[in-house]
Amino acid sequence: MEAPLVEVKNLKKYFPKNKGLFGGKKFFVKAVDDVSFTIKKGETLGLVGESGCGKSTTGRMLMRLLDPTEGQILFEGNEISSLNDNQIRDIRKEFQMVFQDPYASLNPRMKVSDIIAEPLIVHGYPKEKREERVQHLLEVVGLNAYHADRFPHEFSGGQRQRIGIARALAVNPKLIVADEPVSALDVSIQSQILNLLKDLQEEFNLTYLFIAHDLSVVEHISDRVGVMYLGKIVELADKDNLYKEPLHPYTKALLSAVPVPNPRLKRERIILTGDIPSPSNPPSGCTFHTRCPFAMEECKKVVPQLKEISDRHFVSCHLY
Amino acid sequence: MAEKILEIKNLQTHFTSDSGVVKAVDGVTITVNKGETVGVVGESGCGKSVTSLSVMRLLKDTPGKIVGGTIEFEGKNLEAISEKEMRLIRGNEIAMIFQEPMTSLNPVYKIGRQIAEAVQLHLKYDKRQAREHAINMLKLVGIPRAEEIVDEFPYQLSGGMRQRVMIAMAMACKPKLLIADEPTTALDVTIQAQILDLMRKLSKEGDTAIMLITHDLGVVAEMCDRVVVMYAGKVVEEADVFTIFENPKHPYTEGLLYSVPKLGQKVDRLDSIPGNVPTPSNMPEGCKFAPRCPKVMDICRQQDPDLLLIDKEHTCRCWLYQNSEVLEV
């Protein structure tokens, strides 16, 4: 079997928080708590979950924009979680990121050409070929070469996201971490960007980690999907398995909660009670037991492990 | 014929700015019948929120002004009445829920006081009765520990809870019409499901009509009886929910429906509408959708089509259906 492009093992991120003005007792927000997964070359792994579930933190750690508290990240078999800043800068051209907010992630004082050329400069792309490369990239993402001299404010949300994608592609990365790349866009523009991401993947043999809260979008773009809840992956499976036969009660509830654009379809809906608990004080045992319709005594005490139930279908639940 | 509760006819709301007039709403006709849920769908900048603000007469402190058309609530012209009379309707007979619960609740007042304010004003309850009513409303919207929450501040609640408080506030005076502007957009899916469920229940119990403004076609399919599709300040199509989803006529409605990824649907590529939503300063001539339309004809680029009745209770603004009978506006 081919070695995976990315392998994440027992990744944890605890953000320390001081209670009270004078230090007092230190406690931790467990944003990501023991997450493991692999991404094969050329595939798209989707991470879904609601706000605060740790999906973005996971993506940022993969990019090494955040240092993991514990655990390993292997990129092409090389450990990157322990590299220092200089070493990471060299290797970062292999993985790039597309951000959620196309308004905040582009410097308003820089021209589009400078924004896209910046990673080229950082990674030592020959100066004389730079302009050509920028123009080529603009065309690849569906913009025009004459857009190069404009500033970000002259573009619409969808066009800005294209600029962000061009910047990510500039250094020929192998992996792109896309953190909610379409959630800030209008419906008719979302599909344009999703199609573009799919085309680029084919053309450049890219691997995606696609982070989103919209289950329909994730289903459309991913090969495999991981569902996160309170810092943990609760279910991870091939897309078809996960959407057809969700096993974890949380995945079931999540899927049934998505409004479907078909007025004739009246589905049985699992309405979860209550809110998502705070990650600074997660429930004991299975973190989902406070909202789970099938919670048993065991769930309150023992933390379930992610187990392979059927072929490549992992679930962490005491029911299985 | 169903009883009309709100009738917006050819509404035009324009904003004057240094760089000229922005026609945010430019020809919107919407009717809401008693007890019915009408969805208003469209992308950012299509004028759906400005329409609702116009109905509530909340444009006073903005450069926006209603320059044409009428808004009638139970036969009363809302443009003609005085601010004092409007105040008796606003929050009482017409209530509104906003998108961002954190910015629409006052952070320095306790929850109970914010709900009680409208109750004391409109229902003439005294302080104690109003507080009692506030607690009952909180229970009704499914807030646990209502007796304690009533004395808490908005920051102590989660997003879903705040939106429930907003709904409790809006429903406190049993309005005849509820305008909900993207009520669940800021919420997570499992919380969204709770809130939609609650809105459906309350509207059924109190026979409240809802004008639901959203961009989420899934929410529309689930909640609405009729749907109004807006594009660039105009209504482009209106029909009952089944017709909109199964037999849409306007190319924009079609494009919108096909471009959404659906659960369980396997397609390699999504159909997408090319181009971008036009900006107010860059409005195309003729039909506003013409530059992005796959079925564009010569006439579309020259002249704006009228909103025509093309079938029973199905209107559409498109040159493809120009031979139909003209809708009487």
Side-chain angles (χ1 to χ4, degrees):
Chain A
M1 202 182 115
E2 202 190 340
L5 184 73
V6 180
E7 201 173 354
V8 170
K9 286 184 194 164
N10 307 97
L11 199 63
K12 288 181 188 173
K13 180 73 195 176
Y14 292 175
F15 291 105
K17 268 207 161 160
N18 284 325
K19 212 169 194 172
L21 188 58
F22 300 105
K25 215 179 114 202
K26 231 183 185 182
F27 74 104
F28 294 94
V29 175
K30 296 177 177 178
V32 174
D33 197 11
D34 202 0
V35 160
S36 304
F37 58 84
T38 56
I39 313 175
K40 280 186 304 193
K41 208 166 170 12
E43 82 167 346
T44 302
L45 175 70
L47 273 187
V48 269
E50 301 180 276
S51 42
C53 73
K55 51 192 195 301
S56 292
T57 308
T58 307
R60 287 175 168 268
M61 279 195 282
L62 209 64
M63 288 299 299
R64 279 297 309 275
L65 293 172
L66 284 174
D67 290 326
T69 309
E70 243 178 71
Q72 282 183 309
I73 303 166
L74 301 171
F75 187 82
E76 295 187 308
N78 301 317
E79 160 90 51
I80 59 162
S81 37
S82 57
L83 297 181
N84 67 28
D85 284 357
N86 279 326
Q87 292 166 311
I88 203 73
R89 197 170 297 135
D90 288 337
I91 199 169
R92 204 177 260 146
K93 68 168 180 287
E94 306 285 353
F95 40 92
Q96 291 285 312
M97 189 153 183
V98 176
F99 297 90
Q100 170 173 11
D101 188 344
Y103 295 84
S105 58
L106 302 176
N107 187 335
R109 291 165 177 254
M110 283 167 81
K111 280 187 206 161
V112 168
S113 56
D114 296 328
I115 289 172
I116 299 175
E118 201 171 23
L120 297 172
I121 297 167
V122 171
H123 294 291
Y125 196 81
K127 200 175 171 185
E128 58 282 1
K129 288 195 207 152
R130 235 180 257 154
E131 202 186 313
E132 199 184 314
R133 173 89 184 138
V134 169
Q135 306 225 325
H136 173 69
L137 284 163
L138 281 172
E139 275 157 28
V140 164
V141 297
L143 293 169
N144 282 316
Y146 66 79
H147 286 133
D149 288 329
R150 300 202 179 164
F151 288 92
H153 75 263
E154 295 173 75
F155 294 89
S156 66
Q159 288 173 317
R160 284 182 214 210
Q161 204 54 295
R162 289 175 192 268
I163 298 168
I165 293 170
R167 172 175 64 184
L169 284 175
V171 286
N172 275 326
K174 290 183 177 133
L175 172 77
I176 288 187
V177 175
D179 188 0
E180 301 266 15
V182 298
S183 57
L185 306 175
D186 270 320
V187 190
S188 72
I189 309 297
Q190 277 194 5
S191 52
Q192 293 176 5
I193 298 295
L194 289 173
N195 283 340
L196 173 68
L197 286 170
K198 274 206 156 182
D199 292 344
L200 294 173
Q201 180 165 41
E202 228 162 83
E203 196 174 339
F204 299 106
N205 193 21
L206 293 168
T207 307
Y208 289 139
L209 175 66
F210 192 93
I211 299 165
H213 70 278
D214 186 326
L215 287 128
S216 331
V217 167
V218 169
E219 182 187 25
H220 176 72
I221 198 138
S222 311
D223 300 308
R224 280 191 308 135
V225 177
V227 181
M228 286 188 76
Y229 186 76
L230 274 182
K232 289 185 192 313
I233 291 186
V234 294
E235 187 161 2
L236 177 70
D238 288 340
K239 168 174 75 179
D240 294 344
N241 282 335
L242 188 99
Y243 281 83
K244 267 199 211 103
E245 284 168 58
L247 294 175
H248 197 284
Y250 178 63
T251 317
K252 286 182 189 170
L254 203 59
L255 281 170
S256 84
V258 180
V260 178
N262 179 353
R264 299 225 186 256
L265 206 68
K266 293 281 176 248
R267 291 174 310 157
E268 194 65 29
R269 168 158 296 169
I270 309 165
I271 301 238
L272 289 178
T273 49
D275 280 318
I276 305 168
S278 155
S280 61
N281 186 19
S284 60
C286 171
T287 48
F288 186 56
H289 85 254
T290 51
R291 301 173 78 196
C292 181
F294 308 106
M296 306 172 286
E297 254 329 288
E298 191 187 5
C299 305
K300 292 179 192 162
K301 295 176 195 137
V302 189
V303 180
Q305 296 301 316
L306 199 63
K307 285 185 298 227
E308 191 165 2
I309 300 295
S310 55
D311 185 33
R312 315 206 313 139
H313 195 142
F314 297 85
V315 186
S316 112
C317 179
H318 288 307
L319 288 174
Y320 303 97
Chain B
M1 182 84 194
E3 200 184 322
K4 283 175 190 168
I5 184 150
L6 179 74
E7 198 172 10
I8 306 173
K9 275 189 194 166
N10 200 20
L11 179 72
Q12 288 169 306
T13 305
H14 295 180
F15 287 74
T16 15
S17 71
D18 294 342
S19 48
V21 176
V22 173
K23 297 176 180 175
V25 172
D26 198 26
V28 166
T29 301
I30 299 173
T31 308
V32 183
N33 295 321
K34 213 170 168 216
E36 172 187 57
T37 301
V38 175
V40 180
V41 202
E43 300 179 280
S44 43
C46 74
K48 51 194 196 303
S49 293
V50 174
T51 303
S52 63
L53 294 178
S54 304
V55 173
M56 294 294 271
R57 292 215 349 211
L58 290 174
L59 291 166
K60 217 173 62 190
D61 299 326
T62 68
K65 225 178 161 168
I66 297 172
V67 295
T70 55
I71 301 169
E72 281 185 13
F73 177 72
E74 296 192 304
K76 228 179 298 169
N77 185 353
L78 290 188
E79 294 315 301
I81 62 175
S82 69
E83 181 58 35
K84 207 171 156 193
E85 286 171 282
M86 186 65 211
R87 214 175 288 156
L88 292 177
I89 293 177
R90 199 191 287 131
N92 186 18
E93 292 179 50
I94 312 179
M96 189 159 177
I97 306 174
F98 297 90
Q99 178 175 158
E100 225 320 303
M102 194 59 217
T103 48
S104 24
L105 288 171
N106 191 328
V108 299
Y109 287 141
K110 287 176 183 166
I111 302 290
R113 181 170 164 186
Q114 299 194 44
I115 301 175
E117 191 183 355
V119 178
Q120 281 174 280
L121 181 74
H122 295 302
L123 303 181
K124 307 280 179 260
Y125 282 7
D126 66 31
K127 245 182 163 171
R128 236 197 52 232
Q129 284 173 311
R131 187 186 151 88
E132 207 106 294
H133 190 64
I135 293 174
N136 285 335
M137 284 315 292
L138 289 176
K139 282 184 183 156
L140 191 68
V141 297
I143 285 185
R145 305 185 291 120
E147 288 86 355
E148 293 166 47
I149 298 278
V150 80
D151 286 320
E152 285 186 6
F153 291 96
Y155 77 90
Q156 291 169 292
L157 305 179
S158 66
M161 296 263 269
R162 280 182 213 140
Q163 199 57 295
R164 279 165 197 270
V165 170
M166 286 291 297
I167 294 176
M169 232 156 120
M171 302 300 284
C173 298
K174 292 217 180 327
K176 291 175 183 151
L177 173 68
L178 177 68
I179 301 178
D181 189 355
E182 305 263 9
T184 57
T185 307
L187 305 174
D188 282 317
V189 262
T190 57
I191 310 297
Q192 167 172 287
Q194 294 172 2
I195 298 290
L196 292 180
D197 211 46
L198 174 69
M199 282 176 59
R200 211 170 343 190
K201 201 180 93 200
L202 291 177
S203 92
K204 210 175 265 170
E205 281 169 8
D207 205 21
T208 306
I210 301 179
M211 185 164 124
L212 179 67
I213 298 170
T214 180
H215 68 274
D216 188 328
L217 292 164
V219 172
V220 170
E222 224 154 82
M223 298 284 294
C224 301
D225 304 308
R226 269 187 314 120
V227 184
V228 175
V229 183
M230 286 184 64
Y231 187 78
K234 289 178 194 294
V235 170
V236 294
E237 186 163 8
E238 181 190 339
D240 68 88
V241 68
F242 299 109
T243 310
I244 284 285
F245 281 90
E246 285 157 14
N247 193 14
K249 288 285 184 241
H250 198 282
Y252 174 65
T253 314
E254 282 178 82
L256 209 56
L257 285 170
Y258 293 141
S259 63
V260 194
K262 297 166 194 76
L263 277 184
Q265 168 210 50
K266 277 209 196 111
V267 283
D268 214 29
R269 285 181 67 82
L270 294 165
D271 285 318
S272 65
I273 306 176
N276 293 299
V277 182
T279 55
S281 56
N282 200 7
M283 271 301 161
E285 287 279 306
C287 174
K288 306 292 171 256
F289 187 59
R292 302 175 74 192
C293 183
K295 296 174 182 166
V296 64
M297 302 175 291
D298 282 340
I299 187 158
C300 305
R301 298 203 182 86
Q302 290 149 18
Q303 222 181 324
D304 207 2
D306 286 321
L307 191 62
L308 301 178
L309 195 63
I310 57 166
D311 200 351
K312 200 170 155 272
E313 305 198 348
H314 187 172
T315 58
C316 181
R317 188 191 291 275
C318 180
W319 281 114
L320 289 171
Y321 311 100
Q322 56 187 328
N323 293 327
S324 316
E325 177 195 341
V326 180
L327 173 75
E328 292 191 8
V329 178

